[in-house]
Amino acid sequence: MSNIGVFLLTLVGGFVLRILIQPLDIVSTVFSSGLILLHWFMVREMFKGQHYRFLPFVSTLFLTVSPWYILFSNQRAVNIFLFIIFAFTLFCFRYLKKYSLWLIPVFLVFATLVNFSPLSLRVNVKQDLTPIWLTDEQRREHIQNYNEVFVKVLHNKAINYGYSFLDHYGRHFNGNFLFISGDARKDQKVADFGVMYLFDILFIIFGIFGIIRKFYPWGVFLIWLAIAPLVSALNFQPPDIFRAALMAEPLILISSWGAINVFRFVNQNGTHMIRLPMTIILILIVVWDFTRFVYQLLIR
Amino acid sequence: MNQLYWSRLLVALILCAGTFLRLWDLNNVPPHLRNDEAAYGYNAYSLLLTGKDEYGESFPLIFKSFGDWKPGLYIYFTIPFVYFLGNTDVAVRLPSVLAGIVAIWLIYLITNELFKNKRLALIVAFFWTISPVYIALSRGIASLAMAFALGGLYFFLKAFNKKSLFLIPSAFLFGLTLLTYHGAKLSTPLLVGILIALFAKKIFSLDRRVIIASFLIILVVSLPAMVAIFQGKAARISTLSILSSANIQQDNNRLLVYHNQGLDLIRSITSHWFDHYSPEVLFLRGDLNPQHGAPNVGAFLALDILFIILGLVKITRQGFTKQNLFIWLAILLLPLPSVLTIGYVNFERSPLMFMPWIILASLGAYQLIEHLSKERRRLILGVSFFFIFAYFLNYFYFLDQYFIHLPKKSVAWQYGYKEIVQTIAQVKEKYPTIVVQKSADQPHIFYLFYQRYDPWKYQKFSSSVFVPNQEGKDMGYVSKIENIEFKEIDWQKEKPKTGEIFVMPEDKLQQQKKFYSSFKIVKEIKDLNNLPLYWIVETI
């Protein structure tokens, strides 16, 4: 019961944080808060056993205070889209467990394509002319051979748009975007903040070490993470925190699992003299970074 | 015996490939010497003829050069090449090229010593040989310090695996790195620190006399570099250090607990650190300095990412073995010399930072090959064939970018000065004054190097014409060599006299001709794309 009580408190806290985002959109806020609820059930369904007993709570807490989720909490399309994804994932893990490893990724690809792709593709090709210019420049630099087949095989729009896409895709995993500076657009970021907290750097490293040996159910989230920026990478100037919103869930889960592992590591390996101070320091860092975010969000 | 034969043959083949990739068309790719390279070349020439550097100092180990106090071992290695090949681009680059080839052999030995696996060592040597970043760096001037560091690393491992005595050459070679390149002042202590941390438990099993002797050797060899720092010859470090130029602004309206210098510095360093691991830098664009790679190609090929991911999964699953810890620590710490300096990522400041990535890629490839030879042969053969074709295409793309497109990027190479110098030399006696636009490119050094300016003569007045940097940074400039003046050309403030020669970039002339238009063109210097780059004009 106490677990449920803390969870409800988290839910209310999340709701309060979300209504602070202006302009307020009540439908988005409701769906955004609903995401917290769905996340809770989803993680409880997927990660069972004593080993994972803290994960639903910690990850829900992390999601509630996540800068990424808070920033898109007034974006109706993003929240509804994520709500559907979460609901489908929960449904899969509850009723179609043995198909979930391929069913969820297929649905993710399908949903993101339906949701963003036609617009993205058009915008990208129209606005991003660099690959076309680059192709021209590269062919010109071959001087009299500019029209040869091997020149055309190496320097063409397909290859340069392909490179551009890989570049855009890679930018979603750049630490600067994730932890330091966030989205390049001022209206889609909080000053001096990435889309995650600074402390997430440590937790994500520990999280990755923790999950790499257990493909199930983490594999679903690793595939999810790989798929999430695909459509956003088609955009002209990525990463865009709204289009890449799907990335937040696996990253938060990994970070939460990392946090649990860090605290376990300290408590299981540290001497008596180290355990308490280390635990307090870690908690203080988390609290400090969270309050820094709230300060930046509301006051600055 | 058979296996040994094959591994030797393969090492020889890899070395041949490495030699070819590093020597091919060295005179034209890169298309021009950089000012640092020209400075190395001229000081080697000066030492060869006079036993003194350009400022008249006898056999220095730290060279004043442009005011940046260059560690000078590279210059001594350049002397024989300048002797045999003259003041040419190839002569200056050859020490680095040869060191780059030796580095391939050393990385083979290091991997074999670290992993006790010849097949893996061969794969590492292969990836090293073909890696875009190490080909580019070998054809510059960055490889010598790197080869010394690799030599030091190899003998260090050998000291623990075989005889303590190998610690002595290790210490000697590590010491030499500090006399070879600025960045080694941080990268060598980091590498040695990583090794000591990994072998801490075994370190006291070595002969104590050897440990003390090694410590003394590294101290003595690196002493000139240390002394230079205390003598204030460290302007290069202070100019480039992120710690001295973090430019942190105080904002009194901000809460100190959330905004302070410490946090700003941590964010700045972390941000810079992340840049070194971005896919853009590693696989797609490189470090943006065209001197350190091919255009539109990263430190590695785009497809190498697959091998690296496989390698990462492998070592993460294996846990913290000594070898894996070495990889993790090297990935984390070796970029520091570049991380802690201003500007974007700079491959040349820490060339060894790619070593762990290459080992990772090789581990991934090794695992894949092992897996392929055991399971699902037909399917995997088909996929492999497709992948090898794609990889080949990817590599061909790099070669095309490096050997065809890179030589077209004039600005990156301080291109044009070689031709300017030749023209100036032809007209120098006919005119009372030749004015060359002052520039951070240090145009005087190209004149000295390419014209084989008499070092005895230059040493007599070099100190009097050197103007130290007015902002307290490292790079000063030389104001005059005989009737050639290097200064800011401003025809609005200072009307030119008739019968003078002026050398300036294209855009500068367009700007200046608004104030003075009576001149005739002596020569137009075109860039590598046949567009106007510099003008040499005579005022009338």
Side-chain angles (χ1 to χ4, degrees), chain A residues 137 141-142 155 176 180 291, chain B residues 258 267 271 275 400 405:
Chain A
E137 184 186 306
E141 284 177 347
H142 277 273
H155 308 304
N176 274 316
I180 306 290
T291 53
Chain B
Y258 298 132
R267 288 184 75 248
S271 163
D275 286 336
D400 174 69
H405 296 275

Side-chain angles (χ1 to χ4, degrees), chain A residues 111-127:
Chain A
T112 46
L113 282 173
V114 168
N115 200 34
F116 296 121
S117 178
L119 179 69
S120 301
L121 272 172
R122 226 172 23 243
V123 168
N124 186 46
V125 177
K126 264 189 181 176
Q127 290 192 356

